[in-house]
Amino acid sequence: MDLLRGDSQANSTAEAVARRSYGKLVAFVATRTRDVAAAEDALSEAFVSALADWPVNGCPSNPEGWLLTVARRKVIDAARRSSSAEVTTEELQLLAEGSVTAAVDAAIPDRRLALMFACAHPAIDSAIRAPLILQVVLGLDAKAIASAFLTSPAAMGKRLVRAKDKIRQAGIPFRVPEREELPGRLDAVLDAIYAAFTEGWTGPGGTDAARRDLTEEAFFLARLVAGLLPEEPEALGLLALMLHAEARRRARRDPTGEYVPLAEQDQALWDAEMIFEAEALLRRASALGSPGRYQLEAALQSAHVYRCQTGQANWAEVVQLYDALFTFTESPVVAINRALAIAEMHGAGPALEVMPEVAADARLAEYQPYWAARAELLTKSGANVEARHAYEIAIGLERDPAVRRFLLRRQSALPA
């Protein structure tokens, strides 16, 4: 019985550490060897060792330090066994020097930002930089990342492996770049932070600990970048966007846990302080005179909040913002939301005319918001048979049970 309790405590402690400190531990080990894959493998083995040791000897007072010590030892052992000698004697010494103190020193230096910028190095294919950051720094698996970037898990997995090899082979340094180096690398860092936030935010009830931790991690990194680069408008815009979205989290579910769309939310549940901070950040970013994607997305959130709070329709402004955003992204997601805004101004017919088609972008075939939006527009146009079919696809693709029930209710309301 005691051993079973030990197993339970060891598992819960290891799970909590993985959620809270995975990226921090990988970053600390990887910055010593510049071998991200080896750092990930060593940390994975350290967790396996922990699940064998902790139920017997008890969980350490500093589990992160314990894991870091074991992970370093695993890297050193693997390097010594390797005939290629890719890890230098100097790097082995750096790893070995801290292996004893890590177990008792709770203040493990945070190297995550340096690791993020290494993953965003120009030597790495630009399309894989943000996904690489998501896996290495935040611990997301290839399947979750592939879903966020509208591609297959198998293809994403292969590209991630190649990118990690590139970091090692090219000897990419793990450091925050100088200001003149930022323009080519900051976008990937911001994209990864936002993708992590979005993945975490899909658990709006706040009951999923892993998703909640992911959201908190994304906020920590966004504030870190904005603090490091206070004159970078896109860093400020991203933080403003995240604050606007997070401010409405509590209102996205009713007391029974059912999904509530924006127009029907109880504004008393919105976090006024977050909205105030988001607006201040957006004004600061705008004053810097260099508009970008995240500033425009934050401005769209601000426009939606203004409309809900004042009752004044501002759809023309919203469409203009989507037009500007599309010039930056050319994203089908932006095109979908633009079509919904056009429907508010001119009706479902014109909106369906500008709605992107699966034939033009195959990624939309498995993108739930596309089918939900299409179903809504078809319903408004009276095309009930096609709307029912679009709802069926959206319901099948939706992972959130509450949103799935919301779509089912919409589908059920269609005339027979």
Side-chain angles (χ1 to χ4, degrees), residues 107-320:
I108 299 171
D110 197 330
R111 303 283 188 257
R112 282 175 293 183
L113 199 56
L115 178 56
M116 291 174 74
F117 278 107
C119 293
H121 192 276
I124 305 295
D125 178 12
S126 60
I128 199 64
R129 293 173 194 169
L132 182 61
I133 293 170
L134 285 173
Q135 184 172 78
V136 172
V137 181
L138 296 169
L140 295 188
D141 60 27
K143 182 178 180 182
I145 298 169
S147 175
F149 287 86
L150 304 182
T151 189
S152 73
M156 180 60 72
K158 291 177 182 177
R159 296 180 69 192
L160 288 167
V161 169
R162 288 197 297 268
K164 292 172 193 176
D165 285 342
K166 184 68 174 181
I167 290 176
R168 176 177 53 81
Q169 293 166 1
I172 292 172
F174 284 60
R175 61 175 177 80
V176 177
E178 300 297 329
R179 179 166 293 277
E180 60 270 16
E181 299 175 282
L182 282 173
R185 299 166 73 171
L186 182 60
D187 287 350
V189 170
L190 299 181
D191 289 349
I193 293 172
Y194 187 51
F197 171 76
T198 303
E199 180 68 19
W201 197 66
T202 54
T207 56
D208 187 326
R211 291 187 184 278
R212 185 172 62 249
D213 287 348
L214 190 58
T215 300
E216 292 173 359
E217 184 89 344
F219 262 113
F220 170 80
L221 293 171
R223 290 190 182 279
L224 194 63
V225 175
L228 177 72
L229 306 168
E231 300 302 312
E232 286 292 335
E234 279 294 84
L236 302 176
L238 172 60
L239 183 53
L241 169 61
M242 292 166 58
L243 285 164
H244 261 307
E246 185 67 13
R248 301 197 302 269
R249 178 187 288 274
R250 288 190 302 154
R252 295 184 70 227
R253 290 289 187 273
D254 69 13
T256 65
E258 293 303 304
Y259 172 74
V260 182
L262 175 62
E264 300 171 22
Q265 288 176 9
D266 181 359
Q267 296 174 31
L269 297 176
W270 291 359
D271 190 314
E273 290 186 8
M274 281 191 180
I275 293 174
F276 181 82
E277 183 184 0
E279 292 294 311
L281 286 165
L282 191 53
R283 286 192 296 270
R284 277 178 55 196
S286 179
L288 293 169
S290 181
R293 170 196 170 185
Y294 289 115
Q295 294 168 76
L296 288 168
E297 293 209 32
L300 280 161
Q301 293 294 320
S302 178
H304 290 317
V305 167
Y306 175 82
R307 184 179 63 257
C308 292
Q309 290 179 333
T310 65
Q312 298 180 22
N314 58 354
W315 292 109
E317 176 189 347
V318 168
V319 171
Q320 288 178 348

Side-chain angles (χ1 to χ4, degrees), residues 345-415:
M345 292 176 60
H346 304 299
L352 284 168
E353 290 178 6
V354 300
M355 190 77 164
E357 295 286 344
V358 171
D361 192 333
R363 296 175 297 175
L364 297 175
E366 296 185 4
Y367 185 59
Q368 182 274 346
Y370 167 76
W371 293 105
R374 186 169 182 81
E376 180 181 337
L377 295 177
L378 288 167
T379 300
K380 289 180 178 179
S381 69
N384 296 324
V385 173
E386 291 117 311
R388 188 178 301 279
H389 176 64
Y391 271 125
E392 285 176 0
I393 297 175
I395 291 163
L397 292 172
E398 178 54 54
R399 294 181 297 170
D400 188 327
V403 177
R404 197 156 53 239
R405 291 192 297 269
F406 172 81
L407 294 171
L408 278 167
R409 290 194 295 271
R410 288 289 178 93
Q411 184 190 46
S412 299
L414 289 168

Side-chain angles (χ1 to χ4, degrees), residues 4-176:
L4 288 176
R5 283 200 296 268
D7 283 344
S8 176
Q9 184 181 4
N11 287 333
S12 61
T13 301
E15 183 181 349
V17 172
R19 292 197 312 264
R20 182 176 64 241
S21 302
Y22 174 85
K24 189 175 181 180
L25 296 173
V26 168
F28 192 82
V29 176
T31 50
R32 295 305 202 263
T33 63
R34 297 193 182 98
D35 189 336
V36 173
E40 290 178 317
D41 290 344
L43 186 59
S44 177
E45 291 181 34
F47 273 104
V48 172
S49 297
L51 293 177
D53 181 273
W54 294 355
V56 178
N57 298 313
C59 295
S61 59
N62 178 13
E64 283 90 349
W66 192 100
L67 288 162
L68 182 56
T69 297
V70 175
R72 284 168 153 176
R73 190 177 301 127
K74 297 290 185 182
V75 171
I76 293 169
D77 291 345
R80 286 171 174 162
R81 290 193 303 268
S82 174
S83 59
S84 62
E86 291 175 337
V87 179
T88 67
T89 302
E90 180 183 358
E91 288 165 346
L92 287 174
Q93 184 64 28
L94 283 170
L95 280 167
E97 283 174 355
S99 61
V100 176
T101 58
V104 295
D105 181 9
I108 299 171
D110 197 330
R111 303 283 188 257
R112 282 175 293 183
L113 199 56
L115 178 56
M116 291 174 74
F117 278 107
C119 293
H121 192 276
I124 305 295
D125 178 12
S126 60
I128 199 64
R129 293 173 194 169
L132 182 61
I133 293 170
L134 285 173
Q135 184 172 78
V136 172
V137 181
L138 296 169
L140 295 188
D141 60 27
K143 182 178 180 182
I145 298 169
S147 175
F149 287 86
L150 304 182
T151 189
S152 73
M156 180 60 72
K158 291 177 182 177
R159 296 180 69 192
L160 288 167
V161 169
R162 288 197 297 268
K164 292 172 193 176
D165 285 342
K166 184 68 174 181
I167 290 176
R168 176 177 53 81
Q169 293 166 1
I172 292 172
F174 284 60
R175 61 175 177 80
V176 177

